[in-house]
Amino acid sequence: DLYRKVFVFRKDPSDAYVVLRAKLEQPLQNVTVCLRSYTDLTRPHSLFSYATKTQDNEILLFKPKPGEYRFYVGGKFVTFRVPEGRGDWEHVCASWESATGIAEFWLNGKPWPRKGLQRGYTVGATAAILLGQEQDSFGGGFDLYNSFSGELADVYLWDTGLSPDKMRAAYLSLRLPPALLAWKSLSYEVKGDVVVKPRLRE
């Protein structure tokens, strides 16, 4: 249970990462990823990387620069331009549904204009899921200059789209529906220089 705790990625650049284990029974038609990050990086960095054997960017949440997030599904991406952070925690949720190809992006509890991405696509279930590195091959192929440095918390993955109420609940750390990956019952393995610490402030 990582409630009120964070992963601290201490070095920059870094070869460290955290492997997450999710119980995925079947391929995904819908996806929602949420997490909270705290960093002063201005270079590109990966937040959440879900790779399959056939597609290294099956699901990827990537920040190429301070005013931009990229959300990948099946190797294609959409860009969400955001205000540059003021040196505080940023909470993001990205969701995608195959039937409509609609990608949603929420920053700190507010929705951005929706975009179109990979209509009709199916996300593979046999996955390597990592925090802190961007996979260029299944479970590996890292570029140190895409690594994350800073603090990560409140990581969730659902096989559904979340309603606006639940998106806001994720931002406010309220009760959430059962998830494939849930911060309060996370199965994880630290690889390298990552430390679990209490959150410094709410």
Side-chain angles (χ1 to χ4, degrees):
D1 183 1
L2 290 169
Y3 180 62
R4 293 207 168 148
K5 295 198 171 77
V6 302
F7 288 129
V8 182
F9 293 76
R10 296 193 326 146
K11 294 210 302 252
D12 172 30
S14 171
D15 58 1
Y17 59 103
V18 177
V19 180
L20 305 182
R21 293 192 177 77
K23 293 179 178 61
L24 296 163
E25 267 92 60
Q26 68 244 17
L28 308 180
Q29 304 289 339
N30 301 285
V31 168
T32 306
V33 180
C34 294
L35 56 81
R36 224 178 278 278
S37 68
Y38 189 30
T39 180
D40 58 7
L41 289 177
T42 54
R43 64 166 174 75
H45 55 277
S46 174
L47 294 161
F48 180 96
S49 171
Y50 175 120
T52 58
K53 295 231 162 55
T54 53
Q55 177 52 256
D56 54 6
N57 294 336
E58 189 73 277
I59 306 169
L60 175 64
L61 205 46
F62 191 77
K63 199 163 185 200
K65 56 187 188 206
E68 197 170 297
Y69 281 90
R70 280 185 195 168
F71 178 41
Y72 288 74
V73 174
K76 304 260 190 336
F77 69 88
V78 284
T79 298
F80 295 94
R81 287 174 188 81
V82 300
E84 287 196 21
R86 291 182 295 280
D88 207 344
W89 282 92
E90 289 190 2
H91 183 267
V92 297
C93 286
S95 80
W96 165 82
E97 63 179 18
S98 176
T100 59
I102 291 282
E104 270 184 42
F105 183 82
W106 292 65
L107 176 67
N108 296 335
K110 295 190 186 69
W112 253 234
R114 286 171 277 200
K115 304 206 170 180
L117 181 64
Q118 290 286 55
R119 189 174 192 163
Y121 187 78
T122 301
V123 168
T126 309
I129 308 175
L130 306 187
L131 302 176
Q133 298 284 352
E134 195 255 311
Q135 303 176 71
D136 285 327
S137 58
F138 188 73
F142 308 142
D143 173 350
L144 294 188
Y145 292 95
N146 286 333
S147 64
F148 178 78
S149 164
E151 306 191 13
L152 283 182
D154 295 345
V155 180
Y156 287 85
L157 173 67
W158 287 272
D159 57 357
T160 57
L162 292 196
S163 68
D165 285 353
K166 291 286 184 270
M167 288 289 200
R168 284 187 282 272
Y171 170 58
L172 297 168
S173 297
L174 303 176
R175 266 186 78 100
L176 292 167
L180 298 173
L181 287 171
W183 192 245
K184 291 183 181 164
S185 58
L186 200 65
S187 174
Y188 69 92
E189 189 181 346
V190 167
K191 303 278 194 180
D193 195 345
V194 182
V195 185
V196 176
K197 297 289 284 181
R199 192 172 301 178
L200 290 177
R201 60 191 191 81
E202 291 317 299

